[in-house]
Each structure stands twice: as structure tokens, then as C-alpha cells.
Amino acid sequence: MSNILQELEAKIEGIQSASTSKTNVGIVREIGDGVAKIEGLSGAMLNEMLEFPGGLYGLALNLEETEVGAIILGDYTKISEGDEVKTTGRLLQVPVGKELLGRVVDSLGQPLDGKGPINAKEFYPVEKIAPGIIKRKSVNQPVQTGIMAIDAMVPVGRGQRELIIGDRATGKTTIALDTILNQAKINQAGEAGGDPNFRPLYSIYVAIGQKNANIARVIGTLEEHDALKYTVIVAASASDSATNQYIAPFSGASIGEWFMQNGQDAIIVFDDLSKHANAYRQISLLLKRPSGREAYPGDVFYLHSRLLERSARLAEGYGNGSLTAFPIIETQAGDVSAYIATNVISITDGQIYLEADLFFQGIRPAISVGLSVSRVGSAAQIKAMKQVAGKIKGDLAQYRELAAFAQFGSDLDARTKATLERGQRVVELFKQTQYQPMDVQLQAAVLWSMQKGYLDTIPVERIKEFQGKLQEFLSTRKESTLSKILAKKQIDEEVEKELAAALEEFKVIFK
Amino acid sequence: MKISREARRAAREMFRLSLVDGRLNTARVKDISDRLVTEKPRSFLEILKEYTRLVRLELAKRHAVIESALALSEDESSRILADLKTRFGNDITAELRVQPDLLAGIRVKVGSDVWDGSVRNRLNTLSQQL
Ligand SMILES: Nc1ncnc2c1ncn2[C@@H]1O[C@H](COP(=O)(O)OP(=O)(O)OP(=O)(O)O)[C@@H](O)[C@H]1O
Ligand SMILES: [Mg+2]
């Protein structure tokens, strides 16, 4: 009998010693501005979650011989000197999955919209290793932005990283927002069409260091156009801590990666990485890290490259999913040679450069033809767009050069005159009101009519009016032709004939 | 506490000189700190404070704090101490502390490593999992 009792006691002891957890602890020596210096914690790992009293967490960012520098993910004023801090063995994670669609979350994936808890089934670490080069597939599927100037001249492919860069208030956010709205429009049409192979494109919009009013404007616009349900918004506003602003794009990337890893497509907008770099600089100063150019820490390049590396298109065998990134950078007086701008330019696959001058002349979106590029190029266009837009970028760039000195000379030769006439009309065509993304089939039809000279006889001041009415005419009366362009993805002989007939018909109506 | 980079470097250098075969040597610590105080180099007080911090951390690595909800019996404490000596070597020192808010069980801390077998810790873990 006493034997069995001993056995039972041994069992209890076994269970107890097994549940004795080994951790590593430290003591807070300094706390302030969301950053803590902790003595001890000799076993902490880089980016490990640290537990503070009262259920607060921090991230270990600086590992030194006798000290750890951590950023606090919450109300740091509740932490005091002398508090004990524990390692957790975990990395920071955020909820991921379709449950996040339609939601506004903070940089830890917690809801900000008052719509109740998010019942996500999966979590992803916020810092992740980018897909290796083997798993990547070349980019050749388009992301239709719905902005004709972009889709025609700087086409973006799924898995690409395309920078949107320009001075303040030049329409950067609007370009990203229009792109998100266009995906919602395509998704709705695709779902209604019932094609089993239709691949919806979801959007993640990450707001970093922006005024709450700007974030509200984005949410409001998405709601108004019924696009929020395809979108996840990750918000770390100017009133949030530098820590939260620093983490937000990484959390957004994890949410985006879930779609990619599960054979789906998503785009992610980082609005903007200039403010992100500032948040990182602030944290680094508090952690007393050595700083380099423009007082940014030396690894700010690595910060943005490891973020943008996470966008890719995965190979067939890995589900064929994609994540397309649109980082945004704000320039000062158009200067693209500033430190953060040059860094991000070198990491991305091209840029959409917005010019304040154009914006104020009323050329909106204010896309600079000469400075905007997409390294993926026409590989990301459907054939119909390649057919009608192949030469436009070159022609328009030539027009801009000629236009500059055409002001001085009156006697221009016929060819120069023709280039100028055509250029002026293309500039008009590419003006596009915000929140009115255009379907690719309509873009192709409009550009086709320009290519075939149907606009040459229309006075420049009436081009917008002509275009508006033509688009309405085609959308309401020639829907079958437009559908054929979409289905065939090209303008073949049959479509060409139908378009020609439609344009003849329209010219008679248009006075 | 703000401390200059040079002071930190000096303190670290002094600390290195205080080690013999990787262990803190009491005679050297005394000698080095005495010399610092008599010679009074630039910002020697800063250096002394930083040096003291390093010595304190090093000592903590060889010192165990054993906490229990109720006072341990002679037998229990000597068993634990013997166990610590086999693990960390004979020169480890230990102190016992009674910490009622552990509820039950013991918690051992050596340097910054903690083995927590207390009921409080288990309850915390449980409540986090829920
Ligand atoms: N294509 C457009 N047509 C008409 N108005 C536009 C267009 N694009 C942008 N705008 C207007 O220009 C203003 C600035 O646009 P937006 O906020 O997108 O610029 P931004 O570069 O993101 O600015 P910020 O530097 O404040 O982030 C907004 O009021 C917007 O409505
Ligand atoms: Mg903006």
C-alpha cells in the first residue's frame, strides 16, 4: 500500500517538475517614450516578445551584452523602473485570414472599428522570411489599376513592387485608393459572372503616421463604393506610438502573405514609408543606436528591403498566389535623391512619379511620363492593351519635349505638328477623375479610337467631352463588343470591325 | 543614468581585468576599484558606477535566489542547494526568500534564468491560454 502511495507521489512530482517552466528574466532600468532598457534577459532573442507586468508586451530590438532594448506595444506609462520582464519564446503574431476582410485593425491586428471580435483561425508572425527565389514566378499577370495612364504606360503585374512617389498632396493616396476600388469593381463583376476560374484580388491598406481624418477619408471612400468588404485596413495613425507605426506595415504584410500562401491574390499599399522611416528613426534614437545619413539608423535600407521582399508571385506548385506592393514615398520639392527615396526606388520594380506642376496645371492624375517606369512592362498587359498602348509612352514623352520648345517657334514642320496635336489629345484622354476607375476593355476601346485617328478632328477642348460620351455610348450600346475584348483579351479582326462601325455611328451622334 | 561611451568602455576594460579564468576575483576587484578611487581619472565616478553594475550582474550569475511560498525545511533547502551545485558548480551562493504570493511551490533564479514551479506561474499561464 505504501508502495502505491510512493508511486503516486512520484507521479505528481514528475508532473510538477515537467510543468516548471524555464524562462529568462530582467529588470527594467529605464522606461520612457515607449522604449525600455532592461538589465538581464541574457536569453532573449531578437524580435522576441517580452512580457511585462500587467499583461503588457514589448519586442526585444536591441540585444547587448548586459542590456536589452525593447519597444513597448501598449501603454508604456504603466511600466515602472524595477519591474520584472520575462522572455516568452514567442515572436509577435497577428491574426490573418478572410475574417479580416472588411475590418479596420491596429498594428497588432486588434479591431478598431467596433464591429466585434475577429474570429481568425490562423496567426502569422509579423516578421517573416521572404519566399526564396525558387518559389517565385515571373510576373506576367496584370493588376488593373483602372487608371488609364498607368495601365497603358506603366502596367503593374501581380507580385510586383511599384512605388508611388511624389510631393505632398499630389494624389498619391488617390492612386492607391483608385486601384483598390477597381479591384472591388472587378471582383463584383467576376463573382456575378460565375466563372469558376475567376481570381479575386483583395486589398490591404496600411496607414502609417497619417492624420486620423485622412484615414477616415479612405475608409469612407471604400465604404461608399462597397469596396471595404474586399479590403483590410491596418491603421497606425500619427497619434499612435512610433512603435505601432513601425510594426504596422509588417503586420499588413503578414495579412497579405496569408492570401498569397493560400493561392490567392492581394495588393498591399504602404501609405507611407517616409513616415515609417521617421518612426523607425525615432525608435532608434531612443534605443541609442548609432545613426547615419539624415540621422536614420544604418539599417533603414534593410528595414524596407525585408518588408518589400515579402511581395512576390509564387510558383504554380506553391499555389500560384501573389502579393503586389504599392509603397508610397513623399518627396520634398520633387527630390528623389533623398536617402529614403533612393533606397526604396532601388528596392522596387518601378515607380509612378507624380509631379506637383502637372497636378496644379490640372493634369490629374499627375503622372510624369518621363520619370515613371515599370520594370515588368508590357509583360503585365493583356494583348489588347499591348496592341493599342505599345507606343503611347514614347510618343507622349516626345510630345512633352517638343511642347517645351514649340512655344518659341511658329513655323513647325508637319510631322512635329502632328506629334503635338496627338500629344495634346493623349494628355486629355489620360486626365481621369478620382474614384472612377476604368475597365480594361473600355480603356482598350478608347485608346484604339485614338490610335485610329478618330480623335484627330476633335478640338482639344472637347476631347474630354467626346471621351465621356463615347465611353457612355460603348458601355450602354456596344456592351457585347466590350465583352468580346475582355473575353478574347485582344482586338482581333472581328472586334476591330465592330469598333470601327461603333465609332462611325458615334461620330454622327456627337456634335 | 546617462553615461558616456568612454566611461562605459573603461568600466568594461576594468571588468575584464577583474576576471581570472572567467571568474570574478575578489582581490582584483578590490585592487582595481581602490586604484580608480585614488587616481581619480576623468569621470571616475561614472566609471565606478558602471563597473559596479557589471560586477553586480556577474555576481548574480553565480548567485541563486530561491523563493518559496512557505519557509523551506532544512532538508528541502539543502537538497535544492546540492542540486544547484551539481548544475552550476561548487562556488554558487544561494539565498532563501519567503514569497507568499507564489501561493505554493518554488521559484529559483540564477542570473537572469528562472525556473518557476510556483502555482502563481501556472495560474498565469493558464489564464493566458484561456
Ligand atoms: N485624379 C484626381 N482628380 C481630381 N482630384 C484629385 C485627383 N487625385 C487627387 N485629387 C485630389 O487631390 C488632393 C490630394 O490627393 P491625395 O490625398 O491623394 O494626395 P497625397 O499625395 O496622398 O497627399 P498627402 O501628401 O496629404 O498624403 C485630394 O483632395 C484629392 O481629392
Ligand atoms: Mg496621402
Side-chain angles (χ1 to χ4, degrees):
Chain A
M1 197 61 203
S2 75
N3 259 351
I4 187 83
L5 202 59
Q6 265 175 357
E7 232 174 82
L8 281 174
E9 275 169 352
K11 266 201 183 110
I12 291 172
E13 194 144 8
I15 292 164
Q16 280 181 340
S17 60
S19 62
T20 301
S21 53
K22 184 189 169 196
T23 48
N24 196 267
V25 299
I27 302 289
V28 175
R29 285 289 168 227
E30 255 182 82
I31 175 83
D33 286 324
V35 166
K37 288 256 175 192
I38 303 152
E39 202 170 74
L41 280 184
S42 58
M45 301 177 293
L46 190 64
N47 285 319
E48 182 175 354
M49 290 250 271
L50 304 175
E51 191 185 334
F52 291 80
L56 276 171
Y57 287 92
L59 273 190
L61 280 200
N62 257 26
L63 301 184
E64 286 162 21
E65 232 173 294
T66 59
E67 261 184 4
V68 168
I71 51 176
I72 312 301
L73 308 164
D75 186 1
Y76 72 87
T77 58
K78 296 209 175 90
I79 296 172
S80 351
E81 264 175 45
D83 279 354
E84 193 180 84
V85 190
K86 273 205 294 195
T87 56
T88 62
R90 285 181 287 134
L91 298 171
L92 182 60
Q93 294 191 323
V94 283
V96 295
K98 285 209 154 157
E99 293 83 1
L100 281 111
L101 289 171
R103 303 300 301 263
V104 183
V105 298
D106 66 13
S107 54
L108 303 180
Q110 296 307 309
L112 291 173
D113 51 10
K115 292 183 188 166
I118 295 169
N119 298 311
K121 291 172 201 76
E122 282 182 73
F123 289 80
Y124 272 11
V126 159
E127 291 270 3
K128 221 176 183 188
I129 296 139
I133 200 84
I134 335 117
K135 280 165 82 181
R136 283 174 191 268
K137 197 178 163 186
S138 64
V139 171
N140 59 10
Q141 296 273 316
V143 171
Q144 307 289 355
T145 65
I147 300 165
M148 189 154 73
I150 295 175
D151 292 343
M153 298 189 296
V154 268
V156 180
R158 295 189 185 193
Q160 191 179 336
R161 292 152 299 185
E162 184 77 9
L163 170 65
I164 301 171
I165 184 167
D167 281 4
R168 55 168 300 277
T170 49
K172 304 181 296 298
T173 300
T174 304
I175 297 238
L177 207 46
D178 271 333
T179 305
I180 296 176
L181 293 182
N182 199 42
Q183 305 322 311
K185 197 173 157 196
I186 296 172
N187 291 350
Q188 256 149 10
E191 282 166 7
D195 174 2
N197 294 323
F198 176 72
R199 291 176 74 98
L201 229 166
Y202 299 102
S203 305
I204 295 119
Y205 177 83
V206 186
I208 309 151
Q210 293 186 42
K211 288 194 202 98
N212 282 314
N214 280 343
I215 302 175
R217 176 190 142 211
V218 169
I219 299 170
T221 307
L222 293 175
E223 261 172 347
E224 224 168 90
H225 294 79
D226 203 17
L228 193 61
K229 63 182 179 195
Y230 300 109
T231 312
V232 183
I233 296 186
V234 181
S237 75
S239 54
D240 283 312
S241 68
T243 301
N244 286 317
Q245 293 181 37
Y246 157 70
I247 293 168
F250 291 93
S251 303
S254 300
I255 293 168
E257 259 166 356
W258 182 87
F259 290 100
M260 174 170 77
Q261 303 286 0
N262 286 279
Q264 302 179 51
D265 299 300
I267 62 171
I268 184 163
V269 176
F270 300 113
D271 195 359
D272 60 55
L273 291 188
S274 305
K275 296 190 185 74
H276 184 239
N278 291 348
Y280 189 58
R281 173 167 63 186
Q282 196 185 329
I283 289 171
S284 301
L285 286 175
L286 292 169
L287 287 171
K288 302 191 180 71
R289 286 183 173 178
S291 52
R293 221 177 124 184
E294 295 177 25
Y296 290 103
D299 64 347
V300 69
F301 177 83
Y302 172 63
L303 173 82
H304 286 154
S305 75
R306 76 175 194 265
L307 174 69
L308 294 169
E309 269 295 296
R310 292 165 72 172
S311 309
R313 174 148 176 242
L314 297 187
E316 223 72 61
Y318 294 91
N320 206 16
S322 71
L323 181 63
T324 307
F326 290 95
I328 294 179
I329 288 283
E330 181 180 306
T331 50
Q332 312 293 327
D335 180 15
V336 292
S337 66
Y339 186 36
I340 301 301
T342 44
N343 280 353
V344 179
I345 286 172
S346 72
I347 299 163
T348 45
D349 307 303
Q351 71 266 357
I352 295 163
Y353 183 82
L354 302 177
E355 268 182 278
D357 282 354
L358 294 175
F359 191 87
F360 293 122
Q361 285 166 38
I363 300 176
R364 299 176 190 179
I367 298 166
S368 158
V369 182
L371 293 173
S372 298
V373 288
S374 165
R375 266 164 237 161
V376 174
S378 61
Q381 278 175 323
I382 63 167
K383 193 176 168 200
M385 285 300 277
K386 285 183 204 163
Q387 287 174 299
V388 295
K391 281 171 60 229
I392 284 191
K393 191 167 185 280
D395 287 352
L396 200 55
Q398 199 190 356
Y399 158 74
R400 287 237 193 274
E401 270 170 39
L402 284 176
F405 73 97
Q407 307 163 21
F408 306 110
S410 49
D411 40 28
L412 301 164
D413 64 273
R415 253 195 77 209
T416 308
K417 253 188 193 154
T419 308
L420 288 172
E421 291 289 329
R422 182 58 72 86
Q424 284 175 319
R425 283 168 179 77
V426 175
V427 168
E428 288 301 311
L429 275 190
F430 281 162
K431 286 182 184 170
Q432 192 173 337
T433 316
Q434 57 186 349
Y435 315 145
Q436 288 182 14
M438 261 172 94
D439 293 336
V440 65
Q441 59 271 34
L442 197 55
Q443 290 186 20
V446 168
L447 292 175
W448 179 89
S449 44
M450 198 272 310
Q451 188 187 46
K452 295 297 170 193
Y454 286 97
L455 275 67
D456 294 350
T457 53
I458 311 293
V460 173
E461 325 72 75
R462 291 194 71 195
I463 289 288
K464 269 307 326 154
E465 182 195 351
F466 181 90
Q467 182 189 4
K469 291 196 167 138
L470 174 64
Q471 286 176 195
E472 198 189 309
F473 173 79
L474 292 172
S475 303
T476 53
R477 308 263 295 273
K478 304 292 166 191
E479 223 195 317
S480 72
T481 308
L482 292 179
S483 305
K484 274 181 199 163
I485 299 176
L486 189 64
K488 294 180 175 182
K489 293 196 164 73
Q490 60 166 316
I491 298 174
D492 61 4
E493 225 172 298
E494 184 196 0
V495 172
E496 182 129 342
K497 269 195 192 128
E498 289 186 22
L499 280 175
L503 260 296
E504 289 306 330
E505 195 183 328
F506 177 70
K507 272 182 82 174
V508 179
I509 313 170
F510 183 78
K511 301 234 169 53
Chain B
M1 180 196 63
K2 286 266 182 300
I3 171 162
S4 72
R5 202 169 288 179
E6 298 88 85
R8 196 187 296 272
R9 200 175 303 135
R12 207 172 289 159
E13 191 50 37
M14 280 168 47
F15 176 72
R16 220 159 276 148
L17 291 171
S18 315
L19 299 175
V20 175
D21 296 333
R23 293 280 159 88
L24 213 52
N25 183 295
T26 323
R28 286 215 183 171
V29 172
K30 196 175 156 3
D31 184 36
I32 286 171
S33 51
D34 281 350
R35 262 172 50 199
L36 185 73
V37 177
T38 45
E39 282 170 27
K40 293 192 176 48
R42 223 166 79 96
S43 54
F44 78 100
L45 191 60
E46 266 192 0
I47 298 173
L48 186 61
K49 279 184 182 164
E50 175 67 6
Y51 175 70
T52 307
R53 191 178 77 90
L54 294 173
V55 169
R56 176 170 51 73
L57 287 173
E58 186 60 26
L59 286 174
K61 282 187 196 164
R62 322 268 344 135
H63 183 72
V65 178
I66 303 159
E67 292 173 319
S68 55
L70 298 170
L72 297 174
S73 70
E74 193 71 19
D75 184 41
E76 285 168 322
S77 57
S78 56
R79 239 176 47 211
I80 293 170
L81 194 61
D83 186 37
L84 286 172
K85 283 193 167 150
T86 51
R87 253 182 225 240
F88 297 99
N90 274 327
D91 63 338
I92 191 155
T93 55
E95 71 184 276
L96 297 171
R97 281 188 201 163
V98 176
Q99 194 65 262
D101 66 337
L102 294 181
L103 302 174
I106 64 166
R107 182 182 192 266
V108 180
K109 182 175 175 219
V110 181
S112 62
D113 283 330
V114 170
W115 288 264
D116 198 336
S118 71
V119 169
R120 183 191 60 188
N121 182 49
R122 263 171 261 174
L123 287 177
N124 283 348
T125 317
L126 259 178
S127 75
Q128 271 166 16
Q129 283 164 352
L130 292 177

